[in-house]
Amino acid sequence: MTNKDSKQNELVIDATDAILGRLSARIAKLLLSGKRIVIVNAEKAVISGDPEVVIQKYKEIWEIHSRTNPRRGPFHYSRPDLFVKRTIRGMLPWKKTRGREAYKRLRVFIGLPPKYSNTNLIRFEELSAEKRLRHKWIYVGELLKYLGWKGVTKY
């Protein structure tokens, strides 16, 4: 496959105000169909629910570790790009070769890298939290700041 073909097969998706679970399911489906996906603004994705309850739930999840050797995991990511990428991985058939190959075609970024500033960003308007949700939500970046993320990564 030439470089030109891979550029045509690549989709740059803006995660701003998109509901994380629904966005992840859509992206997993695209990855399995053979597309290369680049997600930008990962910290602006949305998790639905009361922010206090969501923060408490993730704090409880993060306390889970191996008693014998905590270095064995499970590992919980505090950077939004890795957090979103891990969410998408959960929706892929990870134990099969096609799931692992699909995961290799995924790139996730915090903010908008200069490389993708001139490209057309795809926004899934039907997944927007403002249109779909009638209750509270929290941004991924805001959640992870409560859980230990220090700030924005520079390019």
Side-chain angles (χ1 to χ4, degrees):
M1 184 186 309
T2 64
N3 193 19
K4 193 178 227 181
D5 293 336
S6 66
K7 285 288 183 190
Q8 290 175 346
N9 204 19
E10 183 176 81
L11 299 175
V12 182
I13 297 173
D14 186 10
T16 303
D17 290 333
I19 301 167
L20 181 61
R22 294 178 182 272
L23 179 71
S24 299
R26 176 84 54 96
I27 289 170
K29 196 80 161 172
L30 289 170
L31 287 168
L32 289 171
S33 70
K35 300 280 187 194
R36 289 188 179 279
I37 305 290
V38 176
I39 301 173
V40 296
N41 295 321
E43 76 281 3
K44 295 179 184 174
V46 168
I47 297 175
S48 64
D50 184 23
E52 293 176 7
V53 174
V54 172
I55 291 167
Q56 186 61 36
K57 182 183 95 172
Y58 277 99
K59 280 184 178 178
E60 289 173 5
I61 289 171
W62 282 31
E63 290 174 1
I64 297 172
H65 57 85
S66 172
R67 288 179 163 228
T68 57
N69 189 352
R71 288 178 286 173
R72 291 185 180 163
F75 303 107
H76 308 287
Y77 299 111
S78 61
R79 276 183 27 202
D81 54 339
L82 298 175
F83 185 85
V84 170
K85 196 170 181 178
R86 181 63 174 92
T87 304
I88 295 168
R89 190 195 121 174
M91 301 198 180
L92 292 170
W94 184 247
K95 293 183 178 181
K96 296 184 180 181
T97 307
R98 68 186 270 255
R100 289 180 187 254
E101 292 297 321
Y103 188 68
K104 290 177 186 176
R105 292 190 294 270
L106 175 65
R107 299 286 177 262
V108 183
F109 295 100
I110 300 170
L112 182 63
K115 180 180 178 182
Y116 299 106
S117 60
N118 295 331
T119 60
N120 290 333
L121 300 178
I122 298 171
R123 290 196 65 197
F124 295 121
E125 293 296 328
E126 67 275 8
L127 301 180
S128 174
E130 293 161 355
K131 287 187 176 182
R132 290 193 68 102
L133 297 179
R134 306 260 188 271
H135 49 80
K136 298 178 183 180
W137 67 77
I138 186 170
Y139 289 102
V140 169
E142 196 177 321
L143 167 68
L144 294 176
K145 281 190 178 179
Y146 282 105
L147 298 173
W149 180 47
K150 300 296 185 214
V152 178
T153 305
K154 300 290 180 188
Y155 296 107

